[in-house]
Amino acid sequence: MTGLGAIGSFGGGRQDLAAALLAGRPHLAAVDRAAGYHRSGGARLAALVGGYDLSPWVPAREGRRMSPPSKLALAAARMALHDSGLAGLAGEDGLPGAAVVISTSFGPASYTEGLLKQILDRPESASPFLFTESVANAPAAQIGIATGATGAGLTIAQREAGPLLTVLRGTAEIAAGRAPLALVGTVEEMTPLLHAVLDRFGALARPGDSGDSGDGTEVAAEVARPFDRRRAGFLAGDGSAVLVLEDAARAAERGCRPLARLLGGGRAFDPSAPPTGWGEGHAALARSLLGGLERAGLTPADVDLIVSGASGARAGDRLEALTLKAAWGERPLPPILAPKAVVGEYGGGFLAAAILAAAGVPFGPTAGFAEVDPELGIVPHRGGPLPAPARVLVSTLAAGGAAAWLLLGAAE
Amino acid sequence: MVTGLGVVSGLGWGVAPFQAALRAGRTGLGAFTRFDHSGHRTHIAAQVPEPPPALAARYPRWRRLSLADRFALAAADEALAQPGLLPLSERADPSRVGVFFGSSTGGMWEGELFFADLLAGRARLALLASQPVSGPGDAVARHLGVTGPVETLSSACSSASLALGTALDALRAGEVDIAVAGGADSLCQLTYAGFNALRAVSEIPCRPFRAGREGLSIGEGAAVLLLEPLDRAVARGAVPLAELAGAGASCDAHHMTAPDPSGQGAAAAVAAALADAGMESGEIDFLNAHGTGTPLNDAAEWRAFERIFGERLKDLPLAATKANVGHLLGSAGAIEAVATVLCLTAGEVHPTPGAGAVDPDLPVQLVQGTPLALAARAAVSTNLAFGGSNAALVFSHAPVGQATTAGRDS
Amino acid sequence: MPEAQATPSRIKRLIVTSLNLDGVKPEMIEDDAPLFGEGLGLDSVDALELVVALEKEFGIKIKSQELGREVFSSVASLSQFIEGRS
């Protein structure tokens, strides 16, 4: 991984994200509830990109028709290319043969909503702009057009597991000799409608859920508490993270020092999961996790650090904990980071944080964690120095059943 | 190897009515009742008919499933029954099975119903259970008890073809022993209105590659192909139907809606698929084109075929299944793959319905009227998507390199 | 204001708003300047979006066969077409 672009509630770029992770506090904003989708007493906050200025990366003229996810993903892709030293190349000659693999959970939500409103009002008023940019693959397509990437252009839709799956697929394209490099990552747009629906499903942390008072602002803070006994939901986020994946030899040839290396990974499914929740299949998931380690020639003892997708979701964190414990058995777990309490669920903050963790960036205390859950017995990182990680396990269990893991190694 | 097929389309539930209709040159495109289309310029689609009562009765939660989920489950079960893989939990190790799906709309139809209700003040959350595009693929995995990899791709019209390519990768890598690959999409207002807004929809059933063609037609349904290595199929006594010999993908990097008119992106996908199959273009005996029936697509696709097949193109039999079942969007690649396999196993290329002469600027041997008897060695199926994502698949009749590479491919 | 003036300025305003052309003032668009390809550099999807906006603004229906290069070549040609239909 030779370049990272990330845009979210924390700002834009590696520095901004690293600062937020070290501080261990999310940047929250009030969701616009004017449309009336939200119910009273429900969640009101999210970790949003908000007004972050994308125009240095995507000039207004170029982005005039693009949906918010397309602009975000293109900006993150250019940021990643710049970070990896490939920006000039992409601008002039394009990236022939490069693959683009982007994931999204819900697609271009605001354009879809706008289009539906037009159709419900008068079908013939449907906007071509909105339609062409409401397809899930619009961000990947726009990245392809802007960077001249003519290899495979794929969009993975597998909810929260999507970001890790794009890394696995991008790596496969390179390993198979089908692409010299890959732009992989994820993008999400957290609209008021989406936020309200997630809240109505009971998925989000709510005001006063965990007995905390606010910080002086008008609403009590909604706190996502990964692995905590009182956890009651996750923090919604949005934004985009894009990585540049290159073959190690190619990167070395360019004199580029990678952020991290991909050592392996795995993917699986838990059929006991209901469509919008988590199930009980930790034993089988643990076997798949161990299988992934084994294929990389590793055992749990070799893992120095876990970056967990635990988000504060009641059943999700439970399944994650049980899966990790089943895989580790009797031996103690290594330090566990749970960045979703800072970056939120969706939008790539998690993927970006995982790369930074493998790159040795320091993390602060896990936001929201105060009290261990005796059933889970997991205490995520409390702050302070971590040993330089040589092998990092990144784990995500998606609502609906999909699971994905990455094994990252430090750059040589 | 492909050892099982399952289909749900405007031509009916199951492979049998699908194949019979294809052979007879029938189309499922016509009047439809899913929603009020009086405000649109066009009034046809290929809507899936009501299921046979016995089929619906097999699924206890039928009424709570989204339409796309229903199509997907029925097609998946049909594809697994054929090679004797039901119940899956008894016939295979579920951790060695993967589900690879493509979809554009997932449960969007139900999502539209939810949104309309929400605007009227009522939130019926149950309608959203399978709304994401990953809904149908996950539903299949849940139904079959799969614990291996499950992945849904959503790259517009090339989704399911790319999913088949993903399945092939997973089998070759030894990540799975069985791949359930396909797609499901249901007719919804968003895509119907959207394509009409682009003036891309034909008022009469689409007429791919014909002179004066006016646009595409929309369909719905699901298709599933069961893929497994040859030796496993043989050991179980399953009959190999065809081999998925190769897959290729590329991106036009050109424009969000218009294909690259030079056809070079699409040609690159076909070339990649042939290379992946270890085959030459001269070994391809017929084509199943993306063939949407829009003036631009068919012309660009023809250019792409010409780059690959040159002089041979005008004599290569060609079928455009969208004239029979409409454009299934994300799952089009799967249903067209099924049609391609059926042509290989039946030794004939199905006719493509529609009136009017073939466009003289795009000389192709469009099979018309009755099936063309052809003991084909191999075929190429193409799917070219919105946003420039191109996919091509190569299917062959006999296992490629069977004698020397047993167990390598599927 | 005479009818002949109103239509072109309405069209120019629609072009700017419906096509998200921030930074372009309606008055900056000349009546005879090419809209597609060169000039404003609009493309086929812009044309379709403009059609939806024109149909709504002028209460007309534009048939697909009428979406030709000549009608849409400039504000002047569009204006002529629309006045012929109103």
Side-chain angles (χ1 to χ4, degrees):
Chain A
M1 289 148 197
T2 57
L4 168 64
I7 300 167
S9 55
F10 48 84
R14 284 200 265 137
Q15 252 88 317
D16 282 0
L17 176 57
L21 292 168
L22 183 59
R25 295 183 65 222
H27 290 111
L28 300 173
V31 176
D32 180 356
R33 284 172 291 132
Y37 299 133
H38 288 77
R39 57 176 174 173
S40 61
R44 302 181 182 193
L45 306 175
L48 302 174
V49 172
Y52 183 82
D53 183 16
L54 299 172
S55 60
W57 301 103
V58 183
R61 230 356 168 75
E62 187 185 15
R64 72 178 168 92
R65 299 203 303 228
M66 292 185 193
S67 61
S70 285
K71 284 200 277 259
L72 279 167
L74 179 54
R78 286 190 165 140
M79 202 183 273
L81 285 167
H82 182 82
D83 193 41
S84 72
L86 285 169
L89 193 65
E92 290 160 24
D93 307 316
L95 300 171
V100 178
V101 188
I102 299 295
S103 82
T104 181
S105 296
F106 305 113
S110 62
Y111 273 31
T112 301
E113 183 183 340
L115 192 54
L116 280 180
K117 282 196 188 125
Q118 288 174 337
I119 293 168
L120 291 175
D121 177 33
R122 279 185 326 125
E124 62 269 29
S125 69
S127 155
F129 274 17
L130 292 187
F131 179 59
T132 57
E133 275 284 315
S134 69
V135 291
N137 64 312
Q142 292 288 7
I143 291 174
I145 291 169
T147 62
T150 55
L154 301 155
T155 296
I156 294 180
Q158 205 57 52
R159 297 197 60 152
E160 298 85 355
L164 303 197
L165 293 173
T166 67
V167 176
L168 292 176
R169 180 55 188 258
T171 303
E173 291 296 305
I174 296 171
R178 294 192 292 240
L181 66 91
L183 290 169
V184 307
T186 186
V187 62
E188 211 73 60
E189 182 193 5
M190 184 50 54
T191 58
L193 175 60
L194 257 181
H195 189 260
V197 167
L198 286 168
D199 182 56
R200 284 169 179 272
F201 269 102
L204 304 178
R206 274 181 231 143
D209 255 340
S210 317
D212 250 20
S213 60
D215 57 352
T217 54
E218 59 163 34
V219 289
E222 296 153 22
V223 187
R225 302 182 177 285
F227 296 120
D228 187 287
R229 188 179 69 80
R230 296 157 306 154
R231 69 190 184 281
F234 61 82
L235 172 68
D238 68 4
S240 178
V242 174
L243 300 173
V244 177
L245 297 183
E246 281 182 274
D247 171 74
R250 218 192 105 104
E253 227 172 278
R254 287 197 309 113
C256 176
R257 189 166 182 282
L259 293 163
R261 295 180 301 132
L262 186 73
L263 303 175
R267 45 186 185 166
F269 190 80
D270 177 10
S272 73
T276 54
W278 291 269
E280 304 277 335
H282 51 271
L285 288 171
R287 282 196 295 274
S288 296
L289 197 174
L290 289 170
L293 283 171
E294 203 176 317
R295 280 190 303 274
L298 300 172
T299 68
D302 299 314
V303 176
D304 311 294
L305 181 65
I306 295 176
V307 182
S308 165
S311 62
R314 195 102 214 127
D317 287 10
R318 177 176 180 275
L319 185 64
E320 169 84 345
L322 294 178
T323 301
L324 290 174
K325 297 184 86 174
W328 256 252
E330 290 305 315
R331 64 176 65 255
L333 288 160
I336 298 178
L337 302 174
K340 284 185 184 173
V342 169
V343 295
E345 179 73 88
Y346 310 119
F350 175 72
L351 177 64
I355 304 306
L356 292 187
V361 160
F363 277 53
T366 303
F369 181 83
E371 204 182 318
V372 70
D373 181 338
E375 192 199 0
L376 311 188
I378 290 201
V379 177
H381 183 57
R382 296 283 225 165
L386 290 162
R391 294 183 202 89
V392 182
L393 172 72
V394 187
S395 167
T396 297
L397 304 180
W405 299 278
L406 296 182
L407 285 161
L408 301 178
E412 288 303 305
Chain B
M1 301 306 297
V2 180
T3 57
L5 301 172
V7 169
V8 176
S9 75
L11 297 170
W13 293 72
V15 171
F18 178 66
Q19 184 166 29
L22 290 188
R23 302 194 70 235
R26 281 202 302 272
T27 181
L29 289 165
F32 70 101
T33 56
R34 177 70 42 78
F35 52 81
D36 175 11
H37 44 79
S38 57
H40 290 292
R41 263 174 296 273
T42 65
H43 306 283
I44 59 167
Q47 178 171 313
V48 171
E50 286 302 303
L55 188 149
R58 290 212 297 267
Y59 301 87
R61 302 187 68 241
W62 187 259
R63 295 233 324 265
R64 314 238 300 270
L65 296 170
S66 71
L67 289 177
D69 284 2
R70 293 178 199 174
F71 302 159
L73 293 186
D77 277 346
E78 186 182 16
L80 267 80
Q82 198 173 354
L85 282 169
L86 287 181
L88 186 66
S89 51
E90 286 169 31
R91 303 292 153 88
D93 173 357
S95 71
R96 301 288 305 162
V97 182
V99 176
F100 306 93
F101 251 54
S103 180
S104 289
T105 55
M108 178 56 74
W109 167 247
E110 288 76 13
E112 290 168 3
L113 297 176
F114 168 84
F115 189 61
D117 274 4
L118 185 68
L119 292 180
R122 201 178 151 214
R124 289 163 60 200
L125 289 180
L127 287 169
L128 294 181
S130 203
Q131 187 274 333
V133 170
S134 49
D138 285 3
V140 168
R142 207 170 290 126
H143 172 69
L144 296 175
V146 166
T147 60
V150 174
E151 192 171 279
T152 291
L153 297 178
S154 190
S155 300
C157 323
S158 61
S159 306
S161 308
L162 292 172
L164 281 158
T166 304
L168 186 58
D169 279 351
L171 283 159
R172 285 174 172 164
E175 188 185 5
V176 300
D177 298 325
I178 291 169
V180 181
D185 276 280
S186 69
L187 205 51
C188 66
Q189 299 188 78
L190 192 89
T191 42
Y192 201 82
F195 280 108
N196 265 291
L198 290 178
R199 309 270 182 146
V201 187
S202 171
E203 289 177 45
I204 59 172
C206 64
R207 302 184 305 123
F209 295 99
R210 297 188 197 262
R213 60 194 179 277
E214 301 156 11
L216 57 87
S217 301
I218 302 206
E220 64 170 2
V224 173
L225 292 88
L226 201 295
L227 302 173
E228 55 181 324
L230 175 64
D231 52 357
R232 282 189 62 98
V234 165
R236 217 176 51 252
V239 177
L241 302 172
E243 178 175 3
L244 175 55
S250 74
C251 203
D252 275 358
H254 174 73
H255 187 270
M256 278 309 288
T257 54
D260 177 352
S262 77
Q264 69 182 351
V270 176
L274 286 169
D276 189 50
M279 294 174 72
E280 303 287 330
S281 66
E283 299 173 66
I284 301 301
D285 292 326
F286 73 90
L287 303 172
N288 185 299
H290 181 58
T292 56
T294 66
L296 288 184
N297 171 80
D298 296 359
E301 187 171 16
W302 184 87
R303 287 262 133 57
F305 284 146
E306 219 221 350
R307 283 169 179 266
I308 300 291
F309 299 104
E311 276 299 300
R312 280 189 76 216
L313 176 59
K314 60 184 184 334
D315 301 317
L316 262 184
L318 184 148
T321 315
K322 289 184 173 73
N324 304 85
V325 292
H327 192 344
L328 265 66
L329 307 179
S331 41
I335 202 167
E336 289 155 32
V338 170
T340 305
V341 170
L342 290 173
C343 289
L344 280 168
T345 57
E348 60 183 27
V349 181
H350 76 80
T352 299
V358 170
D359 186 339
D361 289 336
L362 316 177
V364 289
Q365 206 199 130
L366 187 68
V367 177
Q368 304 181 57
T370 56
L372 174 76
L374 182 70
R377 294 165 294 169
V380 164
S381 176
T382 46
N383 283 88
L384 319 174
F386 232 37
S389 167
N390 306 306
L393 301 171
V394 178
F395 288 96
S396 61
H397 187 250
V400 170
Q402 178 184 5
T404 54
T405 57
R408 169 183 83 91
D409 272 359
S410 41
Chain C
M1 194 186 295
E3 270 287 317
Q5 289 284 47
T7 304
S9 14
R10 282 165 79 186
I11 293 174
K12 290 174 188 178
R13 194 177 29 83
L14 267 188
I15 287 174
V16 168
T17 55
S18 70
L19 304 184
N20 295 351
L21 292 172
D22 302 331
V24 175
K25 293 208 186 41
E27 316 84 76
M28 285 161 58
I29 306 173
E30 289 171 23
D31 284 21
D32 293 307
L35 295 173
F36 296 89
E38 353 130 33
L40 278 181
L42 307 177
D43 72 4
S44 54
V45 180
D46 289 311
L48 292 165
E49 186 77 19
L50 187 55
V51 164
V52 172
L54 290 169
E55 285 186 329
K56 190 169 182 203
E57 169 87 1
F58 294 99
I60 56 176
K61 284 254 182 279
I62 302 176
K63 295 216 259 288
S64 296
Q65 301 91 295
E66 293 167 318
L67 297 175
R69 293 258 116 195
E70 298 82 41
V71 168
F72 276 78
S73 58
S74 68
V75 171
S77 56
L78 258 178
S79 184
Q80 235 183 333
F81 170 78
I82 287 170
E83 282 172 3
R85 296 292 298 277
S86 309

